[in-house]
Amino acid sequence: MPNNLGTSERPLRVAVVGSGPSGFYAAEALLHGEMAVTVDMFDRLPTPFGLVRYGVAPDHPKIKNVIKIYEKIAENPQFSFFGNVTIGKDISVSELRVFYDAVLFACGAETDKKLGIPGEDLPNSHAATEFVAWYNGHPDFLGRKFDLLQEIACVVGQGNVAMDVSRILCKTADELKKTDIAQHALEVLAQSKIKEVHLIGRRGPAQAAFTPPEIREFGELADCDPVLNPKDLELNPESQQELAEPANAPKKKNFEILKEFASRTALSKQRKFFIHFFKSPVEIQGSGRIQNIKLEINKLNGPAGKQKAEGTGQFDELPCGLLFRSVGYRGVAIEGVPFDEKKGVFSNQGGRIVDNNTVVPGLYATGWIKRGPSGIIGTNKPDSTETVGKLFEDVPKLTVCSKPDTQAVIAFLKKKKVCFVTFADWKKIDAVEIARGTALGKPREKFVRVEQMLKAIQ
Ligand SMILES: Cc1cc2nc3c(=O)[nH]c(=O)nc-3n(C[C@H](O)[C@H](O)[C@H](O)COP(=O)(O)OP(=O)(O)OC[C@H]3O[C@@H](n4cnc5c(N)ncnc54)[C@H](O)[C@@H]3O)c2cc1C
């Protein structure tokens, strides 16, 4: 290591791969840390902010205000953004290491887990992620078709992503038209014939992973009533014990909201949102497309706090024309980075990438690719701080890069004809999107094709 690494003569050079929350919190921790650091952030999309742009629901605009914090981070003169550059394709990990002393992966969990049951691949069975990305205008999902002419949709899973998908299906076009939902999605949703949305969870109301504001919203929709079987709210002693724990206050709140839903009698709205507990899909049936879903009735087993759903051998059937699974996400491997197939994350110890438990010098991970798909946006901040702490600790042992120069990276990308997007370019895209939205009474109308984005820059 040169003895001036981390000083203003030779700042530590870090490539951050991914511009979602974990990437920006990592950049912040690096730039405000104990040494001089230059951060170059790469994203495979021309637009920054990861799931804040392409995951967070369009009807929850306040959550997206966090972008203002990321924009401040991007103003730092030691920060550069290279959008529209895919690591592992446009530039390999070993090529990156020529220009950077360390590479920090913040590339999220871009694929989903499957249910692993027969019939899962029938037409009209989708990953919730695909639907989310489509209604949020993600360029990779532009051509997707979702058959909303069906009357009954099922959403498997009870986390907040399942709630987002259900809510978008349950809302009227009027409730969505002033949001930044992609216009192509709004047009299809406006023609929706969906009358029933069934949310299916394998455990009980005391274990559901959704949070109180998300479930409460279903009691306030313009044309949809929440419905549930009061029998599902009968708690076993272990679940009662769980809800009495102060740490489970949000779950207790969920339970109260569900109880209020179950007590409603005047259900006059056009759509119904059915909340099912203690059921697991075991088979999806149909010819040519989904028609039916076979569910096994579960009971809970185990001590309080560790109760698991166990099949009872009794079954139920639900007609269903459209299905979304939302049972977890997985990261996507990048060549040159050890991948933990079981967990779907980059193999790491506290953020240091490891290969068979041996640290790979100079490679780090944060966010969903480090810990898996858990937590809210804010959870990524302490996570990134931890990883950056490890990186700083390792600086004396790092192999320094041979071309410590962002201009050399630019020359490399230009030579490879990679049309990269800077943060200033993104701000141009941003301004045009906002102007397009104003014309429609929306906060923004996103470009849904990469070519459109690149054209807006010119
Ligand atoms: C549908 C959905 C809704 C959510 N809603 C909320 C909410 O309302 N509130 C909340 O607090 N949290 C919400 N979350 C959780 C929150 O979005 C995550 O905690 C957070 O986005 C994880 O951050 P990340 O940086 O690890 O990953 P991401 O946000 O996924 O960012 C990863 C980035 O890496 C880029 N990338 C991937 N591969 C490469 C590559 N090879 N080369 C270059 N770039 C690459 C991607 O394009 C992406 O921009 C939601 C999550 C989902 C899925």
Side-chain angles (χ1 to χ4, degrees):
M1 170 190 120
N3 57 13
N4 62 351
L5 189 65
T7 65
S8 51
E9 299 99 70
R10 173 60 171 88
L12 175 74
R13 289 181 52 76
V14 183
V16 173
V17 180
S19 66
S22 68
F24 270 100
Y25 292 128
E28 184 180 41
L30 286 161
L31 294 167
H32 294 156
E34 57 210 51
M35 51 184 82
V37 184
T38 298
V39 172
D40 288 352
M41 178 181 276
F42 295 84
D43 203 288
R44 70 182 189 86
L45 294 169
T47 52
F49 314 134
L51 285 170
V52 180
R53 180 177 163 99
Y54 291 120
V56 171
D59 57 340
H60 285 173
K62 284 195 189 137
I63 311 267
K64 300 184 197 212
N65 287 341
V66 71
I67 283 175
K68 293 196 184 113
I69 297 171
Y70 306 154
E71 284 178 333
K72 270 255 155 294
I73 298 167
E75 281 171 14
N76 190 305
Q78 298 304 318
F79 174 95
S80 304
F81 178 67
F82 292 92
N84 204 29
V85 181
T86 304
I87 305 308
K89 185 175 144 240
D90 296 318
I91 179 163
S92 69
V93 175
S94 55
E95 283 166 336
L96 267 186
R97 304 212 53 191
V98 173
F99 305 107
Y100 300 96
D101 307 309
V103 181
L104 199 161
F105 293 94
C107 43
E110 290 210 307
T111 186
D112 75 299
K113 286 187 186 151
K114 296 195 91 174
L115 294 166
I117 59 172
E120 188 169 11
D121 294 322
L122 276 168
N124 284 8
S125 162
H126 306 278
T129 31
E130 294 167 15
F131 187 59
V132 167
W134 172 76
Y135 67 61
N136 275 320
H138 193 299
D140 290 0
F141 296 83
L142 176 60
R144 294 301 164 98
K145 298 265 181 288
F146 297 97
D147 180 5
L148 302 189
L149 299 180
Q150 298 297 324
E151 293 193 348
I152 305 178
C154 288
V155 181
V156 180
Q158 287 189 333
N160 278 341
V161 177
M163 301 306 265
D164 283 353
V165 166
S166 302
R167 197 177 61 255
I168 296 293
L169 290 169
C170 289
K171 277 194 166 179
T172 61
D174 264 358
E175 287 175 286
L176 295 169
K177 70 181 183 199
K178 300 283 178 215
T179 73
D180 71 357
I181 192 163
Q183 200 62 19
H184 62 242
L186 187 60
E187 282 162 17
V188 176
L189 285 159
Q191 302 301 319
S192 168
K193 297 270 185 288
I194 304 265
K195 288 194 175 137
E196 296 180 9
V197 176
H198 293 259
L199 183 82
I200 297 166
R202 65 195 156 130
R203 294 197 289 166
Q207 290 81 31
F210 50 68
T211 45
E214 273 64 31
I215 185 70
R216 191 181 293 112
E217 269 187 275
F218 284 95
E220 297 158 359
L221 300 182
D223 203 16
C224 180
D225 288 311
V227 187
L228 75 155
N229 182 349
K231 267 189 93 59
D232 277 358
L233 298 178
E234 290 169 8
L235 299 179
N236 65 7
E238 290 79 6
S239 296
Q240 288 174 23
Q241 206 183 319
E242 284 174 23
L243 289 192
E245 286 289 324
N248 283 336
K251 297 212 187 296
K252 192 162 174 226
K253 191 91 217 143
N254 282 344
F255 189 72
E256 281 159 16
I257 296 165
L258 290 166
K259 255 194 344 205
E260 189 273 313
F261 286 176
S263 71
R264 292 188 183 193
T265 46
L267 304 179
S268 55
K269 295 178 179 170
Q270 293 283 322
R271 283 188 182 140
K272 299 282 175 277
F273 175 58
F274 292 87
I275 309 160
H276 300 260
F277 294 104
F278 307 110
K279 286 179 184 164
S280 293
V282 288
E283 188 180 349
I284 297 166
Q285 301 157 336
S287 119
R289 65 161 175 82
I290 296 179
Q291 285 165 319
N292 220 28
I293 170 162
K294 187 174 173 189
L295 301 159
E296 181 162 16
I297 317 277
N298 296 328
K299 63 177 179 7
L300 293 178
N301 219 335
K306 291 186 179 158
Q307 294 191 85
K308 290 213 160 89
E310 269 183 18
T312 58
Q314 288 176 305
F315 297 90
D316 204 356
E317 281 192 9
L318 195 63
C320 164
L322 180 65
L323 180 124
F324 297 97
R325 61 175 184 272
S326 178
V327 290
Y329 296 82
R330 285 175 62 77
V332 176
I334 295 182
E335 203 189 320
V337 192
F339 191 74
D340 182 332
E341 279 296 339
K342 203 161 152 225
K343 295 189 186 148
V345 299
F346 287 176
S347 309
N348 74 91
Q349 286 170 359
R352 288 186 177 105
I353 300 276
V354 294
D355 195 3
N356 285 324
N357 287 325
T358 306
V359 170
V360 181
L363 297 190
Y364 300 85
T366 183
W368 278 19
I369 196 62
K370 169 187 175 186
R371 65 175 196 277
S374 65
I376 57 169
I377 290 169
T379 318
N380 298 294
K381 189 170 168 139
D383 195 17
S384 291
T385 307
E386 180 194 49
T387 297
V388 169
K390 300 271 194 284
L391 196 161
F392 281 145
E393 260 172 55
D394 295 348
V395 165
K397 294 179 275 178
L398 288 179
T399 308
V400 293
C401 66
S402 56
K403 288 188 186 162
D405 179 10
T406 295
Q407 289 309 317
V409 181
I410 293 173
F412 176 92
L413 292 173
K414 283 191 172 159
K415 197 168 166 212
K416 287 194 88 180
K417 300 206 167 19
V418 179
C419 195
F420 62 88
V421 171
T422 65
F423 208 78
D425 291 336
W426 150 246
K427 291 303 290 174
K428 287 186 204 160
I429 298 172
D430 187 36
V432 183
E433 285 189 348
I434 293 171
R436 280 158 43 103
T438 308
L440 295 164
K442 299 168 80 175
R444 77 170 59 235
E445 185 60 41
K446 290 177 193 165
F447 287 117
V448 292
R449 290 190 165 85
V450 169
E451 311 85 80
Q452 290 176 320
M453 298 178 194
L454 299 180
K455 207 166 157 209
I457 298 165
Q458 291 155 11

